[in-house]
Amino acid sequence: MRAIVLTGANGLFSAGADIREFNTPKARTEPNLLTLIEAVEASEKPVIAAIGGTCMGGGLELALGCHFRVATAGASIALPEVKLGILPGAGGTQRLPRAIGLEAALNMIVSGSSVPAAQLRETALFDEVVEGDALAAALVFARRLAAENRPRERLRDVALREPNAEAFLQFARTAVAAASVGYPAPLKCVDAVAAALKPFEEGLRIERELFVQLLHSPESRALRHAFFAERAAARIPGIDESAHIRPVERAAVIGAGTMGSGIATSLASAGLPVTLVEAKQEALDRGLEAIRRNVEAAVKRGKVDALAAERTLARIDPALAYDDVAQADLIIEAVFEDMEVKLAAFRELDRRAKPGAILASNTSTLDLDRIAAATERPQDVIGMHFFSPAHVMKLLEVVRGAKTSDDALVSAMRLAKRIGKTAVVAGVCDGFIGNRMLEQYVRQALFLLEEGASPQQVDRALERFGMAMGPFRVSDLAGNDIGWSIRKRRYVEKPHVVYSRIADRLCELGRFGQKSGAGWYRYEPGRREALPDPVVDALIAEYRQERGLAPRKVADEEIVQRCIYALINEGAQLLDEGIALRASDIDVVYLTGYGFPRYRGGPMFHADTVGLYNVVHSMRRLAADPNLARGDPGFWKPAPLLAKLAAEGKTFNG
Ligand code: NAD
């Protein structure tokens, strides 16, 4: 034997380390990845990596330790560690710059994105990039190597020469710092890559140190939690994996308003023919126009090409009658949020849909079980709660009614994946997971205004915590009238619950947010920038005066604590009631649908990080605070599950 060819099974090289092993004894068992790479690199016989399919993370680090590399043009090359809040810790940050240059390596390591091998053809990373089979090409290469007696080449021996390295790194640090607020890993990636300019062993030591620091950081723990939480959400406990999956070849959407047009865009973009049913011609035309705009925007952003866009549009079949829904395997109703209208629509669907078709409602607040009861087939009825804009937002709450069958549920989850959504199962209740928690968060935000904070202060404090947008900016974007109509219902349904009326005042002035040019902020025509508005300050001051509320100085920490703990407590309540299946599902809802910072892992993981004992302790302190007397006195009572886990020293996420 004169040479060794290293490859992976099934035509791919390696997708990297199993991240479940991080921080476990298994990760410390020899030979670990570093030892393995050292052994490969030290081999007297040349080692050639035959790279097909995927070569990522630890897999790429192993390939970099080989003496030669032969890849297929389409192989996916990446060091994605940064996405989990860490950096490549087995020499990747030292060897990759030596192979492809400082700048290209930095881009790959800081972004974590995959690059096809063909794009790196001209670099020293690959000795050959071939169109066909990597293994066959590597074997030919190995024989030639042996025949020529070509010496081994080790990337560690390459001295990285970059005349403008310092200036480049300085620029990179500034750019990366600005783009990664809250995330420590990207900047540490820059530091590690910069160490590649030092002697190899020293660089390796620095990389190791930075890796270990990141591995133990709360941000990396949170990102890894988010990664697993998203995978876990697709599995439904107690449902047999082999539950029959109903094939979905054709869909129908009822109602072509804001949501219906977005849902139809989403389905058609994923290749499904969609019958779009409306009650009125004008509404149908408006819906079709909205779909066209959605698709054109995707072309503009380079997401799809013009041909794919035309095909998507051609899949939409507009209709003014329910006749055509008989063909559909899945029908999603998105008519007005009015029980009578929904019941009439479902009775009609029950008459027309084919047996076994999934009948889904996009209702946000209505009782799905009542809707299901309007049909003779409640087992086929399910909630599919999309978020606006439905063709953009990843989150989908799949609502399981009392009679929803397992196979309808599993099929809806499968369909969600097919159309690129992150689906989470929720039980029937008003608001499901996301909006039910949001209501408590917003209630606190409004109490804070009564007590002395301004909308800007509340938004700023929560945005500094990491929320993509503060609650008042979100409300202006979504439309303040939505919350208003929900509150009006609550005043009747739950007269004992204390609500601040301050937002109602705003709505009474017609300040519905961006769509009306003013809300909690004012907006210049055609612009989305939220500008502070003295009219709102005056309105709040007047409201406080009328109610005899003396404003006090509210600290940013208090804002964050009250709003976020309100989310957490309601989340615990949802778990107790079985509306959410697991704490990590709640985290997924908030990470994908509500702009919760990923580096904090979601509200329930954040609670675990703070410590449930500490959360409960702070809630008891808030309950006893006389400053908060106007708020709901029962508000800060810890949910039974939260109190129990805190007392037992446990966490939500096990
Ligand atoms: P919308 O008013 O924009 O659209 C509703 C459409 O349904 C209208 O075009 C109307 O003409 C049509 N329609 C009414 N009755 C019909 C019938 N019998 N047959 C066919 N079409 C009919 O409302 P929307 O904002 O798209 O909301 C639709 C549903 O989605 C509601 O249940 C709402 O609660 C839910 N939802 C809305 C949002 C949101 O942010 N807007 C988010 C999630 C869920």
Side-chain angles (χ1 to χ4, degrees):
M1 186 179 71
R2 311 261 314 265
I4 299 163
V5 173
L6 199 62
T7 194
N10 304 326
L12 57 85
F13 189 73
S14 161
D18 181 349
I19 66 167
R20 274 168 304 213
E21 288 180 5
F22 284 176
N23 278 344
T24 66
K26 196 154 182 213
R28 290 185 286 275
T29 321
E30 289 290 347
N32 65 26
L33 184 58
L34 272 170
T35 323
L36 176 70
I37 294 172
E38 250 173 42
V40 167
E41 197 178 48
S43 157
E44 290 299 325
K45 294 202 175 95
V47 183
I48 302 113
I51 301 170
T54 310
C55 181
M56 291 190 179
L60 178 54
E61 294 186 291
L62 175 60
L64 287 162
C66 295
H67 306 121
F68 302 96
R69 286 159 295 276
V70 174
T72 46
S76 240
I77 311 297
L79 288 175
E81 286 79 353
V82 72
K83 293 184 178 167
L84 297 175
I86 50 173
L87 53 75
T93 65
Q94 303 306 297
R95 290 189 182 92
L96 191 64
R98 285 171 162 85
I100 67 172
L102 198 67
E103 185 172 347
L106 190 77
N107 284 339
M108 279 184 71
I109 293 169
V110 168
S111 70
S113 357
S114 314
V115 176
Q119 208 171 300
L120 299 163
R121 196 189 291 273
E122 303 304 325
T123 68
L125 180 57
F126 299 120
D127 297 278
E128 270 182 17
V129 175
V130 298
E131 292 306 322
D133 178 33
L135 181 58
L139 288 168
V140 174
F141 182 86
R143 289 200 185 91
R144 201 171 62 233
L145 204 70
E148 290 170 3
N149 244 338
R150 195 167 145 192
R152 300 171 314 157
E153 290 172 15
R154 304 188 312 173
L155 281 168
R156 69 155 61 218
D157 300 331
V158 175
L160 188 58
R161 261 186 277 282
E162 299 266 352
N164 297 321
E166 271 321 308
F168 168 69
L169 287 168
Q170 202 167 359
F171 162 78
R173 277 199 183 92
T174 315
V176 169
S180 59
V181 176
Y183 296 84
L187 260 188
K188 296 235 190 269
C189 286
V190 181
D191 291 343
V193 171
L197 293 161
K198 298 181 187 293
F200 185 79
E201 285 299 334
E202 193 183 340
L204 211 55
R205 191 182 48 70
I206 294 174
E207 176 195 81
R208 195 74 212 156
E209 255 169 39
L210 296 169
F211 172 80
V212 172
Q213 283 171 21
L214 286 175
L215 190 62
H216 296 290
S217 67
E219 292 83 1
S220 170
R221 285 177 204 275
L223 292 172
R224 280 178 275 150
H225 165 72
F227 177 87
F228 287 122
E230 272 162 16
R231 272 150 192 77
R235 293 190 294 271
I236 309 159
I239 290 198
D240 191 347
E241 291 282 317
S242 64
H244 171 66
I245 304 220
R246 303 186 191 182
V248 176
E249 306 290 343
R250 272 201 81 88
V253 174
I254 315 297
T258 312
M259 295 308 287
S261 56
I263 296 167
T265 307
S266 205
L267 295 166
S269 304
L272 280 160
V274 182
T275 304
L276 182 63
V277 183
E278 248 298 339
K280 291 178 291 251
Q281 184 67 49
E282 312 88 81
L284 186 58
D285 292 342
R286 266 200 309 275
L288 290 170
E289 192 42 44
I291 296 173
R292 175 167 288 283
R293 274 198 311 275
N294 295 343
V295 172
E296 279 168 3
V299 174
K300 252 191 218 137
R301 272 183 279 125
K303 298 224 163 196
V304 290
D305 60 28
L307 184 64
E310 277 314 311
R311 287 208 181 115
T312 297
L313 291 174
R315 286 187 198 108
I316 308 272
D317 182 13
L320 285 169
Y322 280 52
D323 307 332
D324 295 345
V325 303
Q327 315 290 322
D329 306 300
L330 163 74
I331 304 169
I332 304 178
E333 166 279 311
V335 303
F336 299 132
E337 185 75 341
D338 178 304
M339 188 52 107
E340 291 313 315
V341 181
K342 302 255 190 222
L343 292 178
F346 271 81
R347 278 186 212 112
E348 194 67 24
L349 293 179
D350 193 22
R351 271 196 289 278
R352 309 221 179 221
K354 66 176 170 187
I358 300 170
L359 309 183
S361 172
N362 184 45
T363 181
S364 306
T365 55
L366 301 174
D367 181 351
L368 183 75
D369 292 330
R370 260 189 79 195
I371 296 175
T375 72
E376 301 286 322
R377 38 174 133 177
Q379 73 281 2
D380 296 337
V381 177
I382 197 162
M384 288 182 85
H385 185 228
F386 287 79
F387 288 73
S388 181
H391 61 295
V392 176
M393 293 293 286
K394 286 254 169 246
L395 179 61
L396 178 66
E397 287 176 320
V398 173
V399 185
R400 181 190 209 168
K403 297 199 172 151
T404 305
S405 71
D406 285 0
D407 53 312
L409 180 63
V410 175
S411 306
M413 295 295 283
R414 181 65 68 94
L415 188 272
K417 190 169 179 199
R418 182 161 157 206
I419 63 174
K421 302 294 177 198
T422 303
V424 172
V425 178
V428 176
C429 72
D430 189 342
F432 310 122
I433 298 175
N435 286 342
R436 209 179 105 174
M437 288 167 64
L438 191 74
E439 187 169 333
Q440 303 311 325
Y441 169 87
V442 171
R443 265 179 82 203
Q444 281 305 317
L446 293 173
F447 286 143
L448 284 157
L449 295 192
E450 293 192 346
E451 291 167 38
S454 68
Q456 296 88 290
Q457 191 199 355
V458 173
D459 281 352
R460 214 182 320 112
L462 285 157
E463 284 161 16
R464 284 208 186 120
F465 170 79
M467 299 300 290
M469 253 194 222
F472 295 107
R473 287 215 290 144
V474 169
S475 190
D476 270 3
L477 182 65
N480 295 318
D481 48 326
I482 298 180
W484 193 24
S485 76
I486 294 174
R487 280 192 306 278
K488 281 192 239 175
R489 192 148 52 85
R490 295 282 183 268
Y491 300 155
V492 179
E493 284 169 359
K494 300 183 177 174
H496 55 285
V497 178
V498 185
Y499 282 90
S500 163
R501 304 288 173 121
I502 207 162
D504 303 357
R505 291 287 174 85
L506 196 78
C507 292
E508 283 155 14
L509 297 178
R511 296 183 67 116
F512 292 158
Q514 285 191 20
K515 63 183 171 189
S516 65
W520 292 106
Y521 297 89
R522 63 184 184 85
Y523 300 87
E524 299 282 349
R527 304 197 47 171
R528 287 165 166 266
E529 196 188 343
L531 304 165
D533 192 341
V535 176
V536 174
D537 297 338
L539 179 141
I540 296 172
E542 195 182 288
Y543 178 93
R544 288 180 192 138
Q545 207 165 25
E546 269 173 34
R547 309 226 157 190
L549 300 163
R552 66 182 169 90
K553 203 168 158 13
V554 180
D556 286 1
E557 297 77 53
E558 180 184 338
I559 294 172
V560 170
Q561 203 171 56
R562 285 173 57 181
C563 293
I564 302 298
Y565 287 8
L567 282 182
I568 294 167
N569 204 34
E570 194 66 13
Q573 195 64 45
L574 287 168
L575 284 170
D576 252 344
E577 292 170 25
I579 300 290
L581 295 175
R582 13 170 138 72
S584 64
D585 282 4
I586 296 178
D587 288 335
V588 172
V589 167
Y590 266 76
L591 294 174
T592 44
Y594 291 82
F596 201 92
R598 202 169 165 87
Y599 62 83
R600 295 194 194 272
M604 308 316 272
F605 186 81
H606 176 66
D608 289 345
T609 308
V610 172
L612 300 190
Y613 173 86
N614 296 328
V615 172
V616 167
H617 183 74
S618 301
M619 284 174 65
R620 297 218 161 104
R621 219 193 49 238
L622 288 168
D625 188 338
N627 282 324
L628 276 58
R630 245 220 36 94
D632 185 343
F635 195 100
W636 295 114
K637 188 170 172 342
L641 178 70
L642 172 58
K644 179 171 167 284
L645 292 174
E648 292 170 355
K650 293 192 177 146
T651 59
F652 284 124
N653 282 290

